[in-house]
Amino acid sequence: MNAALPRDLLPDYAPRPLPAAMLEALQARFGSRCSVALALREQHGRDESPFDVPPPDAVVFAETNEEVALVVALAQQHRVPVIPYGAGTSLEGHLLAVQGGVSLDVSRMNKILRVHAEDLTVTVQAGVTRNQLNNELRHQGLFFPIDPGADASLGGMAATRASGTNAVRYGTMRENVLGLTVVTAQGEIAQTGSRARKSSAGYDLTRLYVGSEGTLGVITELTLKLYPLPEAVSAAVCFFPSIDAAVQTTIQIIQMGVPIARCELLDANTVRAVNLHDRLGLRESAMLLMEFHGSPASVAEQAATVQEIAREFGGEDFDWATTPEARSKLWTARHHAYLSALQTRPGCRCVTTDTCVPISRLAESINASVREVEEAGIPYFIVGHVGDGNFHLGYLIDPAKPAERETAERLSHQMVARALALEGTCTGEHGIGLHKQGFLVEEAGEAAVALMRTLKRALDPHNIMNPGKIFRI
Amino acid sequence: MNAALPRDLLPDYAPRPLPAAMLEALQARFGSRCSVALALREQHGRDESPFDVPPPDAVVFAETNEEVALVVALAQQHRVPVIPYGAGTSLEGHLLAVQGGVSLDVSRMNKILRVHAEDLTVTVQAGVTRNQLNNELRHQGLFFPIDPGADASLGGMAATRASGTNAVRYGTMRENVLGLTVVTAQGEIAQTGSRARKSSAGYDLTRLYVGSEGTLGVITELTLKLYPLPEAVSAAVCFFPSIDAAVQTTIQIIQMGVPIARCELLDANTVRAVNLHDRLGLRESAMLLMEFHGSPASVAEQAATVQEIAREFGGEDFDWATTPEARSKLWTARHHAYLSALQTRPGCRCVTTDTCVPISRLAESINASVREVEEAGIPYFIVGHVGDGNFHLGYLIDPAKPAERETAERLSHQMVARALALEGTCTGEHGIGLHKQGFLVEEAGEAAVALMRTLKRALDPHNIMNPGKIFRI
């Protein structure tokens, strides 16, 4: 889909060769579930980021906590990198084997272990994907709301602190993981958290592992919060004369405390792209795609309030969908946005951004970024979880033109610098991975990054867990 | 209020003498803001826990981040314990100077630094109390919901991961702190988090410090989430034939997804006590005290649903309060519960519990605890944040009778063991402090506690930050 970026964008990492003794031990224990086939390795050394693939030296498919622990303990003994692998949908180079090592694939750990409908909790293995979970839960009248778009594994979603379209109402993985089973860098199996909704029992190990991008250990099981399927769900689109008008509407919705469940922005470029891709016939201007959850009365009330706010900012052509089919048609536009945008410039690749700012600064953040990209003349599109202050601007560049790549990187850096000046973050939901390490230092400051490095060194002194990600050691 | 417990309940801690050079340096820098007066030291070596006071060797009042950093850096140099002090309302011995050292009082860091009403965030110094903050915010139509009862400092509330009556709707300090300024054990000032609602930028240092009970550094500033004051607020009481009926009602409310803002249980003993204390004339049976926030229509709908559920379980005498005055009268019962209960047995002291279990197990958890305490014949009372699965049973014991103390400790341990068997926690909101260290190991397991110790050793290798709390090193 995306042409690969040249390897020179990656920092210079020293590969660590896989000792024959370790490979033999893995093969003896895992048989055909340990593979060195190139195609499989390359598939595991790739994610949705635009970097060239440095493949791992081997791929191991683990099926139990104990197997994960065994692989990590062996890797610790031989000082070999371990890269946890779930569904391969991360976006920031998290899965790239920049120092070689073993890709530890947990996708076969895909059992839903315990549904406690009466407590609104579920315990799953890390390889369960969010669609799998929701398909299983639907007949019990429950759902897990975090929706990053891709059908990611829940372990991976925890590892990158993912969020997505429902976060404005239900929070992110940070708020929705109650506890974890993790395999530490020493190959120990540890439990964090419990099934209680809250606890003050010691350090918050759960939140330390959520967002740690595989660098502190392997998440093997998760206990998650569930929610009753809302009695009523209603989706709406509304079109605006400008991005600014759509964003101002969003700001007002949030400031008034309307408990909106989803509030997504698509710019005119994106709408044009999905019209081409799916013949949706939508009006080609900035659009908000919204969803309301609650009792019928509450949903109607929320919708009326929002419609009134939108009208103040020139919002038009409100269109409603209350049946699942009609809703799913409306959401097609959002779900196909990325693919559709890529197809508007054949052969292009996409440099994606992920800044998130306090809601009142969202308009200036987006407006300035639009101005800059328009001036630079690079094709682009914007989608945003604007209710959170988070948006993604994709620069659609021609990989054969280094000048375009440089421009996109420069604009991306300007956007991050602006987000930080507005007291926001360089990444709302994708994580740091390989590409945003410089941004992390700009954002968190040397003192905080030093604390992070101290934690990493303490928990993984030989730097075997997904080395080279988040920061260099 | 509470008679002190004999020192023998505390483990054997080696005091570390305060070097004269350090005291001189503090006095030179802080003048009268550094004191060794016994009364002041004793006041700072005490909290709401029932332990005898080991006072710190000195008390220093810091007024800026830089002053806090200076004290910690000096303490690091001299290997002297530092115990952060806010409002002195913690419950588990957090403030006791078990190894001597300096009580670092941040109560004068009481400035509300920046209110961003348009983003629903506020940045405060750690000594600001929650009532101070809410008094300041009220005229802007905003509030900070976390209400642990006491007028605690926000820094202390973060340090113990506090919650209280509004947590069922708004979450705990875990969910409501966006970022912190902390002084590390090395005396460095670090920022964690930002003003963005979500972020995937590196390890979650914010959540690591929230709940760390002063053992990893000093929280000096906090950026918090705010909420618009609800358009409508309505409070209600309802009386039940048994605790079980009240709890079953709560379970049903939560399972149905009613967005109730507060759901507090008072048992018949507590109601009797507050009737005596405040002449409230309430019916002396188990009672739920509830609050609903939202639009007028939504509040009415929630209340109707809850009333119907309560009726199924024999709930009677629903009484409503919609004006602030009427609400505050209803809440008197809850706010005076602890004091009123203590007065029912003059000279008694209270051994308090804080278990929290998955909501479906709450009835059996409470029922068994009631059976045990009734059998033992010890006076008791129960209040509970039952919407979270969290309740406090207070054993009212005669400190002159060691047998009563032993019985209370045994029952408390049984209650914790039961909570853990039900996949809950030994502490929903008070923290581990001195008294629950054994429970922490039972709950989290050796592997998780080993991880916590590793973090502590990495961030505070000389164990100067509130030593002896959460676990022994």
Side-chain angles (χ1 to χ4, degrees):
Chain A
M1 177 166 73
N2 269 348
L5 267 194
R7 186 88 57 110
D8 68 327
L9 264 196
L10 294 180
D12 181 33
Y13 287 94
R16 306 189 212 166
L18 182 65
M22 163 123 185
L23 184 59
E24 279 160 26
L26 288 173
Q27 285 172 330
R29 175 65 183 77
F30 290 91
S32 65
R33 290 192 285 126
C34 171
S35 172
V36 293
L38 182 64
L40 192 71
R41 290 193 291 122
E42 288 200 331
Q43 183 234 320
H44 280 74
R46 177 189 290 138
D47 61 9
E48 297 287 326
S49 75
F51 293 110
D52 201 7
V53 181
D57 299 310
V59 177
V60 175
F61 293 87
E63 295 180 354
T64 63
N65 293 338
E66 290 68 26
E67 286 188 353
V68 171
L70 189 141
V71 173
V72 176
L74 262 178
Q76 184 62 256
Q77 186 189 326
H78 293 283
R79 308 288 188 250
V80 166
V82 174
I83 305 163
Y85 185 98
T89 57
S90 53
L91 292 161
E92 292 292 345
H94 296 101
L95 301 174
L96 276 59
V98 290
Q99 300 196 273
V102 173
S103 175
L104 182 47
D105 186 318
V106 298
S107 63
R108 297 182 189 177
M109 294 182 68
N110 61 358
K111 286 187 206 61
I112 295 170
L113 300 171
R114 288 174 294 279
V115 180
H116 287 282
E118 70 287 6
D119 294 319
L120 304 172
T121 71
V122 65
T123 302
V124 300
Q125 287 187 308
V128 170
T129 70
R130 64 177 189 87
N131 285 339
Q132 181 194 347
L133 177 61
N134 278 325
N135 289 337
E136 176 76 21
L137 292 172
R138 192 167 298 123
H139 72 282
Q140 302 192 56
L142 299 170
F143 78 118
F144 181 68
I146 313 300
D147 167 16
D151 189 21
S153 70
L154 291 157
M157 287 167 61
T160 53
R161 207 181 289 127
S163 50
T165 59
N166 278 309
V168 59
R169 166 85 172 247
Y170 297 95
T172 72
M173 289 302 280
R174 181 175 72 191
E175 286 82 19
N176 286 287
V177 179
L178 288 169
L180 297 170
T181 303
V182 296
V183 170
T184 69
Q186 285 68 43
E188 299 270 336
I189 299 171
Q191 308 291 332
T192 76
S194 69
R195 287 211 302 116
R197 302 296 269 189
K198 65 182 193 184
S199 171
S200 288
Y203 299 159
D204 194 344
L205 297 177
T206 304
R207 247 53 54 184
L208 181 64
Y209 276 89
V210 170
S212 64
E213 304 188 9
T215 63
L216 299 179
V218 188
I219 294 171
T220 60
E221 293 177 8
L222 308 91
T223 295
L224 304 169
K225 284 190 198 173
L226 299 177
Y227 296 82
L229 279 171
E231 207 186 332
V233 175
S234 157
V237 280
C238 182
F239 297 87
F240 293 86
S242 65
I243 293 183
D244 188 63
V247 172
Q248 296 295 350
T249 299
T250 305
I251 294 173
Q252 192 90 34
I253 291 169
I254 300 301
Q255 287 177 349
M256 287 190 61
V258 178
I260 194 166
R262 288 170 148 172
C263 187
E264 298 288 303
L265 169 74
L266 284 73
D267 76 337
N269 293 344
T270 309
V271 180
R272 209 169 296 128
V274 292
N275 273 346
L276 273 173
H277 187 268
D278 291 305
R279 300 170 188 269
L280 292 179
L282 295 166
R283 174 169 159 172
E284 294 183 356
S285 63
M287 162 181 144
L288 283 184
L289 185 43
M290 295 167 283
E291 203 165 273
F292 307 96
H293 296 176
S295 68
S298 150
V299 162
E301 190 174 49
Q302 293 173 49
T305 307
V306 165
Q307 203 158 353
E308 198 175 310
I309 297 170
R311 208 173 288 124
E312 276 177 47
F313 292 99
E316 284 181 3
D317 294 357
F318 238 85
D319 191 12
W320 292 96
T322 49
T323 67
E325 298 70 30
R327 278 207 311 278
S328 129
K329 187 173 163 236
L330 276 191
W331 281 96
T332 303
R334 176 64 186 90
H335 287 134
H336 293 183
Y338 180 68
L339 258 174
S340 307
L342 283 179
Q343 295 186 4
T344 59
R345 191 176 187 192
C348 74
R349 78 168 188 83
C350 180
V351 174
T352 306
T353 64
D354 180 34
T355 57
C356 182
V357 296
I359 190 82
S360 74
R361 319 307 294 269
L362 182 59
E364 66 193 279
S365 175
I366 296 188
N367 293 343
S369 301
V370 167
R371 208 163 43 239
E372 287 166 356
V373 66
E374 295 270 3
E375 276 169 22
I378 292 187
Y380 71 96
F381 70 102
I382 296 177
V383 292
H385 312 305
V386 282
D388 299 321
N390 182 211
F391 71 98
H392 309 301
L393 190 154
Y395 304 99
L396 301 170
I397 63 166
D398 180 343
K401 295 182 179 158
E404 287 200 6
R405 192 183 89 198
E406 276 158 36
T407 304
E409 296 290 345
R410 177 175 54 79
L411 296 181
S412 160
H413 196 156
Q414 277 170 223
M415 188 189 304
V416 167
R418 187 163 44 242
L420 301 186
L422 298 173
E423 301 181 80
T425 177
C426 67
T427 174
E429 54 182 19
H430 295 168
I432 297 294
L434 283 173
H435 195 212
K436 294 204 170 84
Q437 300 190 7
F439 296 162
L440 176 65
V441 179
E442 287 177 43
E443 173 171 339
E446 291 291 349
V449 176
L451 283 174
M452 293 183 200
R453 284 206 177 90
T454 301
L455 297 175
K456 165 74 175 176
R457 283 201 192 92
L459 294 179
D460 181 19
H462 301 293
N463 194 20
I464 67 159
M465 290 309 313
N466 207 3
K469 313 302 161 60
I470 304 183
F471 36 62
R472 301 293 292 272
I473 290 291
Chain B
M1 176 165 78
N2 269 348
L5 267 194
R7 183 87 57 109
D8 68 327
L9 263 198
L10 293 180
D12 180 33
Y13 287 93
R16 308 188 211 166
L18 181 66
M22 163 125 184
L23 184 59
E24 279 160 25
L26 287 173
Q27 285 171 331
R29 174 65 182 77
F30 290 90
S32 65
R33 290 194 285 127
C34 171
S35 171
V36 292
L38 182 64
L40 191 71
R41 290 194 292 121
E42 289 200 329
Q43 183 233 322
H44 280 75
R46 177 188 291 138
D47 60 10
E48 296 287 328
S49 74
F51 294 109
D52 200 6
V53 181
D57 299 310
V59 177
V60 175
F61 293 87
E63 295 180 354
T64 64
N65 293 337
E66 290 68 27
E67 286 188 353
V68 171
L70 190 143
V71 173
V72 176
L74 263 178
Q76 185 61 256
Q77 186 189 328
H78 293 283
R79 308 287 188 251
V80 165
V82 174
I83 305 163
Y85 186 98
T89 58
S90 53
L91 291 161
E92 292 292 344
H94 295 102
L95 301 174
L96 278 58
V98 289
Q99 298 196 272
V102 173
S103 176
L104 181 48
D105 186 320
V106 298
S107 63
R108 297 182 189 178
M109 294 181 68
N110 61 358
K111 284 188 206 64
I112 295 170
L113 299 172
R114 288 175 293 279
V115 180
H116 287 282
E118 69 288 6
D119 295 319
L120 304 171
T121 71
V122 65
T123 302
V124 299
Q125 287 186 308
V128 170
T129 70
R130 64 177 189 88
N131 285 339
Q132 180 193 347
L133 177 61
N134 278 323
N135 289 338
E136 176 75 21
L137 291 173
R138 192 169 298 122
H139 72 281
Q140 303 193 53
L142 299 170
F143 78 118
F144 181 68
I146 314 298
D147 167 16
D151 189 20
S153 71
L154 291 157
M157 286 167 61
T160 53
R161 209 181 290 127
S163 50
T165 59
N166 279 308
V168 59
R169 166 84 172 248
Y170 298 96
T172 71
M173 288 304 278
R174 183 176 71 191
E175 286 80 20
N176 286 286
V177 178
L178 288 169
L180 297 170
T181 303
V182 296
V183 170
T184 70
Q186 285 68 43
E188 298 270 335
I189 299 171
Q191 308 290 332
T192 77
S194 69
R195 287 211 303 117
R197 301 298 270 188
K198 64 183 194 184
S199 171
S200 289
Y203 300 158
D204 193 344
L205 297 177
T206 304
R207 247 53 54 183
L208 182 64
Y209 276 89
V210 170
S212 64
E213 304 187 10
T215 64
L216 299 179
V218 188
I219 295 171
T220 59
E221 293 177 8
L222 308 91
T223 296
L224 305 169
K225 284 190 198 174
L226 299 177
Y227 297 81
L229 279 170
E231 207 187 334
V233 175
S234 157
V237 281
C238 182
F239 298 88
F240 293 86
S242 65
I243 293 184
D244 189 62
V247 172
Q248 296 296 350
T249 299
T250 305
I251 293 174
Q252 192 90 38
I253 291 169
I254 299 301
Q255 288 176 350
M256 285 189 62
V258 178
I260 195 166
R262 289 170 148 171
C263 186
E264 297 288 302
L265 169 74
L266 284 73
D267 76 336
N269 293 344
T270 309
V271 179
R272 209 170 295 125
V274 292
N275 272 347
L276 274 173
H277 187 270
D278 291 305
R279 300 170 189 269
L280 291 179
L282 295 167
R283 173 169 160 171
E284 294 183 356
S285 64
M287 162 181 145
L288 282 185
L289 186 42
M290 294 166 284
E291 204 165 273
F292 308 96
H293 295 176
S295 68
S298 149
V299 162
E301 190 175 50
Q302 293 173 49
T305 306
V306 164
Q307 204 159 351
E308 199 175 309
I309 297 170
R311 209 173 288 124
E312 275 176 46
F313 291 100
E316 284 180 4
D317 294 357
F318 238 85
D319 192 11
W320 291 98
T322 48
T323 67
E325 298 69 30
R327 276 207 311 278
S328 132
K329 189 176 160 231
L330 275 191
W331 281 97
T332 302
R334 175 65 186 90
H335 287 133
H336 293 182
Y338 181 68
L339 259 175
S340 307
L342 284 179
Q343 294 187 4
T344 59
R345 192 177 188 191
C348 75
R349 78 167 188 84
C350 181
V351 174
T352 306
T353 65
D354 181 32
T355 58
C356 181
V357 296
I359 190 83
S360 74
R361 319 308 294 269
L362 182 59
E364 67 192 280
S365 176
I366 296 187
N367 293 343
S369 301
V370 167
R371 209 162 43 238
E372 288 165 356
V373 67
E374 295 270 4
E375 275 170 22
I378 292 187
Y380 70 97
F381 69 102
I382 295 176
V383 292
H385 313 303
V386 282
D388 299 321
N390 182 209
F391 71 97
H392 308 300
L393 190 153
Y395 304 99
L396 301 170
I397 64 166
D398 180 343
K401 296 182 178 157
E404 286 199 7
R405 193 183 88 197
E406 276 158 36
T407 303
E409 295 290 345
R410 177 174 56 78
L411 296 181
S412 160
H413 196 157
Q414 278 170 220
M415 188 189 303
V416 167
R418 187 164 43 243
L420 301 186
L422 299 173
E423 302 182 79
T425 176
C426 66
T427 174
E429 54 183 19
H430 294 168
I432 297 295
L434 283 173
H435 195 211
K436 295 204 170 85
Q437 300 190 7
F439 296 163
L440 176 65
V441 179
E442 288 177 43
E443 173 171 340
E446 291 291 350
V449 176
L451 283 174
M452 294 183 200
R453 284 204 176 90
T454 301
L455 297 176
K456 166 73 175 175
R457 284 200 191 94
L459 295 179
D460 182 19
H462 300 294
N463 194 20
I464 67 160
M465 290 308 313
N466 207 3
K469 313 301 161 62
I470 304 184
F471 37 63
R472 302 290 293 272
I473 290 289

